[in-house]
Amino acid sequence: MKNLFIILAACFAVSSYAQKTEKINNNYKNQQIMDLNKIKNENVKNALEALESGDEIWYSYFTENPEMTDDGNKVDFKSFFAKALGNEKFLSIDRVENEGKDIYGNFKAGNWGTFMVFFKFHQSVGGKFDRLDIGQAN
């Protein structure tokens, strides 16, 4: 009887593991992978890859205290991205302008939903971004 219980418990554990693994694999397959190759500015492209993957290297592409606006309203860059990093991402890149520093596309903004946005990166002489303007695009 004790051996039967051990065998049944082992079978349950293996079955549960297989179901979890299948769910993880299906979720991975269903994730949309954004092609950022339209963006020719390498700093913008690398920064967006970091944003979407939740990598804090995102902050290294910016000056110490960059200015930021969200729909024209000044916001604190670091506190804004403390929530957004890894949770928000472009679903499509529809237009790239200004030498690859202005990005327009469909964007998933966490609990706010999905809509067309712009990201306008302002690059300082040193190569880092000292300002980021984001907002809903028309």
Side-chain angles (χ1 to χ4, degrees), residues 67-76 80-81 88 109 112 115 117-119 131-136:
E67 292 182 44
M68 183 178 169
T69 63
D70 181 6
D71 281 330
N73 301 305
K74 192 170 184 174
V75 295
D76 182 74
F80 184 93
F81 284 104
E88 300 187 0
W112 295 102
F115 41 87
V117 301
F118 63 83
F119 273 49
R131 181 183 176 112
L132 177 64
D133 298 307
I134 65 173
Q136 287 192 19

Side-chain angles (χ1 to χ4, degrees), residues 44-62:
V44 171
K45 184 162 98 173
N46 293 336
L48 287 177
E49 286 173 346
L51 172 65
E52 295 184 0
S53 68
D55 190 339
E56 291 192 2
I57 198 167
W58 158 261
Y59 298 107
S60 72
Y61 292 99
F62 293 85

Side-chain angles (χ1 to χ4, degrees), residues 26-113:
N26 285 339
N27 286 343
Y28 179 75
K29 288 176 191 172
N30 291 333
Q31 285 181 344
Q32 198 171 15
I33 298 173
M34 172 50 49
D35 180 13
L36 299 173
N37 288 324
K38 291 180 181 179
I39 303 170
K40 300 306 179 197
N41 182 304
E42 286 298 314
N43 284 345
V44 171
K45 184 162 98 173
N46 293 336
L48 287 177
E49 286 173 346
L51 172 65
E52 295 184 0
S53 68
D55 190 339
E56 291 192 2
I57 198 167
W58 158 261
Y59 298 107
S60 72
Y61 292 99
F62 293 85
T63 57
E64 182 63 31
N65 291 307
E67 292 182 44
M68 183 178 169
T69 63
D70 181 6
D71 281 330
N73 301 305
K74 192 170 184 174
V75 295
D76 182 74
F77 176 83
K78 290 181 182 173
S79 64
F80 184 93
F81 284 104
K83 298 172 193 159
L85 193 66
N87 296 316
E88 300 187 0
K89 64 181 179 176
F90 277 95
L91 300 174
S92 67
I93 303 291
D94 300 327
R95 198 168 80 227
V96 179
E97 298 176 348
N98 190 21
E99 300 173 349
K101 293 180 285 204
D102 296 354
I103 312 301
Y104 298 82
N106 196 26
F107 193 79
K108 181 171 181 356
N111 295 333
W112 295 102

Side-chain angles (χ1 to χ4, degrees), residues 15-31:
S15 174
S16 177
Y17 176 78
Q19 289 174 355
K20 287 179 184 174
T21 301
E22 182 178 349
K23 184 176 180 181
I24 289 168
N25 288 339
N26 285 339
N27 286 343
Y28 179 75
K29 288 176 191 172
N30 291 333
Q31 285 181 344

